Each structure stands twice: as C-alpha cells, then as structure tokens.
Amino acid sequence: MTLTAPESARAVAASRSTASLSSGHLPRWSPWALLVLSLVVGATPFAIQALAAGSEFNVAGSVILGAIIYLVLIYVLSRIIEGARKALDRLVTGVVTVAFAIAMVPLVSVAVTVVATGLARFDGLFFSSSMRGVLGEGGGALHAIVGTLLVTLAAAIISIPIGLMTAVYLVEYGKNGRMARTITFLVDVMTGIPSIVAGLFAYAVFALIFGPGVRMGIAGSVALAVLMIPVVVRSSEEMLRLVPNELREASYALGVPKWLTIVKVVLPTSIAGITTGIMLAISRVIGETAPLLLTAGFTDAMNYNLFSGRMQTLPVFTYSQYAYQGIPAEAYVERAWAAALTLIIIVMVLNLVARLVAKIFAPKTGR
C-alpha cells in the first residue's frame, strides 16, 4: 500500500518518537508538553474555586502549583525512561528555570506597572514645567529632571577620578602591600554602608561649613559620590586585573614608562569593562532618596545652581508627590508614577550609552 506525503510524515514522526523512547531518550517536545499539561492541571483547582466563590482567579498560585507538578512529572518520567542520572539533570534544570522565572516576575511586574501607570502624565507639560505655584492638577517635573542630571553629573565628576585612580593604585602600584590591603578593606566596608549614613555624613560636613539646616545640590552630589566610589573602585579593579601582564611587559620592553603604559595600554584595554562599572555605579545612586532628602532637600521651583539653595531630584519628587497628596489625589499619584517612569528611562538611556561607548572604545582584535 502506498502512503501519501502527510501520512508518510506522520509515520516517520511516530517511528522517531517510538525509537527515542525505546532507546532511553525523551522526545524533544515532551518537556514542553509536560509543562503545558502541568500548568493546565495547576490552574484547574483555582479556576473551580474562582467560579464557585465568584472571586478572582489566582494566577500566581496556579503557576506555582503547575511548576511543582511539572518538576515531579519530568523527574518521574525521565527516571523511568532515561535513568536516574538524566532524571536528576532534568530536575535541576527545571528548578533553575523555575527560580529564574520567579526572579523575573517582580521585575516584569514593576516594569509593566510603572509603564502602564506612568503614561497617564507622560505629556509635554510634564517635561516643560515645574511645580511652582501648582496646586492640584497640572505641573511637571522639569525642575526634578534637571536637578537629577546636575546632582548625578557632579557626583560622577567627584567619584570617577577618585575611584579609577584608587583602582589603578591597587592593581599597578600597591600589589599586596599593607596600604593596598587597608584600602581594599575600607572600600569593602564602604560598599555596605546604608545610603542614609552617606547622607548624614555629607550633611554633617556641609553643616560644619555653612551652618545647620543647609540644603544644596552639591551636598547631595557628595553624598552620592560616597556611595559611588566603592562601586567604581571594585569594578575598575577587577577590569584592570583582567589585562594580560604580557601587554605590560611588552610595553616595558620598548622602554615605555610605567605611567604611560597604564595610560596607553592598560586603560584602553579595559575601557569597556570600566565604562560598564561606572554606569553600574551611576545607576546605583541615581535613584537614591534618603541621602538627597537630607542634603539637597526639595523645592517646587527650578534651580540650576548646585552651590546655592535647595534642589529637587526625581526620587525625592516621586516620594514627595506620593507622600504629600493634595486634592485631587489622583493628580499627585500620576505625577509620582510619571517621575518613576522618567527615572527608569534615564537609567536605561545611560546603560545604552555605556554599551555604545564600550563598543566604540574597546580594543579591536582583528587586523
């Protein structure tokens, strides 16, 4: 009997599945089929409960129950067909995948919530006006956006040279000396200090100079710089250590001084990683609220001078709009969500710029 083309294809697929099972291997489609079946089985009791009680369907509970059922099924089925070793491998792979999915849930949830809620006030007025004289609806966050950029830029100008030169000393000059070990210990301690402590330190320094109650943008920059320096030091140090010693030795063999070797060979070779570390440090501090409340304060008006008067920033603007709601409350909440979305976009843009800079200035390996 002659088989048609579709019948022949189905016969070949069936024979492959039978062969894979008989040879001790699960078909490639079996994990996905088990996953779908497990999710359906896990969602069934919650769907029945929701229909019976007239309540909302529990998505999180059904997904968690489905994941547990999948792990049990894939382990039992793989142990029967493929053996204990492959079954354990599939179980561990499933646990890692489930853990990754669980870790992504809050990240995706926060991103979706901020985008969906913040778009309500993502208009021209929000980016072209401040809150001076605004009560209730209207107003914008231009003063907070400008303040965030100025304060973060000043913090970067303070912390990047200090952190980078410290990393150069630890790798190129200090080696394993007593001073290098002491600096490394202090940097590790600074990495774990709470942000409010950095804010109190900066406020205390400026209060000693200008008197109690001082609030200015540069004080916020100093507080953020205290938080940035250890991140810049550790990331830059690791990148400098990855530079092969052969490059340094080749430069020394040509009679190039040590400082020029660092500038022309070591730093250009590691510039991609250093740039990524610097952007990581900026992203770490740009959303800080507590130190800026103590040092820069908050205001409703524009202020371009870091050395005079209070300066508003996006994290503080978000906090103040949500914490001190007026009438109507919806206007304040919408401005808070829009400011949070703006801050996320700024961080995303900075990371994209860092990747572009790292790609442009990374050493070329081809001819």
Side-chain angles (χ1 to χ4, degrees):
M1 182 178 64
T2 304
L3 296 177
T4 62
E7 292 174 346
S8 177
R10 285 194 294 269
V12 170
S15 63
R16 287 179 178 176
S17 298
T18 305
S20 63
L21 290 175
S22 61
S23 62
H25 295 285
L26 288 174
R28 290 185 178 182
W29 51 266
S30 58
W32 296 104
L34 283 176
L35 178 61
V36 173
L37 177 62
S38 302
L39 292 176
V40 172
V41 173
T44 300
F46 292 98
I48 296 174
Q49 181 185 6
L51 292 175
S55 59
E56 188 176 350
F57 178 70
N58 191 343
V59 178
S62 63
V63 171
I64 292 174
L65 180 59
I68 295 174
I69 295 173
Y70 168 76
L71 293 176
V72 174
L73 288 178
I74 193 66
Y75 177 77
V76 172
L77 188 60
S78 179
R79 187 177 180 89
I80 294 173
I81 298 175
E82 299 177 316
R85 187 173 184 178
K86 185 64 175 178
L88 183 61
D89 178 72
R90 288 188 180 274
L91 177 63
V92 173
T93 303
V95 170
V96 172
T97 305
V98 170
F100 169 75
I102 293 175
M104 289 297 294
V105 167
L107 177 62
V108 174
S109 177
V110 169
V112 171
T113 303
V114 172
V115 171
T117 316
L119 287 176
R121 274 304 319 272
F122 229 59
D123 50 31
L125 182 63
F126 184 81
F127 294 100
S128 61
S129 62
S130 66
M131 289 297 296
R132 184 172 184 177
V134 176
L135 295 175
E137 297 180 349
L142 179 61
H143 61 308
I145 296 173
V146 172
T148 296
L149 296 177
L150 291 177
V151 169
T152 308
L153 177 62
I157 292 174
I158 295 171
S159 61
I160 291 174
I162 296 175
L164 186 56
M165 287 188 287
T166 302
V168 169
Y169 172 80
L170 292 176
V171 176
E172 302 295 335
Y173 294 96
K175 303 298 181 182
N176 293 321
R178 181 180 299 177
M179 179 64 71
R181 291 197 300 269
T182 303
I183 293 174
T184 301
F185 172 75
L186 294 177
V187 168
D188 291 338
V189 171
M190 288 180 63
T191 304
I193 64 172
S195 59
I196 189 68
V197 175
L200 288 171
F201 166 76
Y203 174 78
V205 170
F206 279 83
L208 290 174
I209 299 174
F210 298 98
V214 60
R215 298 288 190 278
M216 59 178 64
I218 191 63
S221 300
V222 171
L224 297 185
V226 172
L227 298 173
M228 280 185 64
I229 287 175
V231 180
V232 175
V233 171
R234 297 302 292 174
S235 60
S236 301
E237 181 184 0
E238 293 302 322
M239 292 301 105
L240 292 174
R241 291 188 188 279
L242 293 178
V243 178
N245 282 329
E246 289 79 3
L247 296 178
R248 299 181 177 89
E249 293 169 357
S251 179
Y252 298 151
L254 295 174
V256 181
K258 187 179 185 66
W259 70 270
L260 193 58
T261 299
I262 295 172
V263 174
K264 295 292 186 179
V265 176
V266 177
L267 290 179
T269 304
S270 58
I271 189 64
I274 291 174
T275 305
T276 303
I278 290 172
M279 287 299 107
L280 176 65
I282 293 176
S283 302
R284 184 248 187 272
V285 303
I286 197 172
E288 290 290 347
T289 305
L292 295 177
L293 274 173
L294 292 173
T295 54
F298 53 87
T299 179
D300 292 335
M302 294 290 300
N303 182 11
Y304 298 96
N305 190 352
L306 285 168
F307 299 91
S308 176
R310 297 170 178 263
M311 181 170 284
Q312 184 72 285
T313 54
L314 279 172
V316 178
F317 178 79
T318 304
Y319 166 77
S320 61
Q321 288 294 306
Y322 191 83
Y324 307 108
Q325 298 177 15
I327 300 175
E330 293 78 9
Y332 291 81
V333 174
E334 288 177 355
R335 282 194 293 263
W337 283 109
L341 179 58
T342 304
L343 189 60
I344 291 175
I345 292 176
I346 290 176
V347 173
M348 182 179 67
V349 170
L350 288 176
N351 280 274
L352 291 176
V353 171
R355 289 179 178 272
L356 182 62
V357 171
K359 184 177 181 180
I360 293 175
F361 291 98
K364 306 299 185 292
T365 57
R367 287 181 176 268

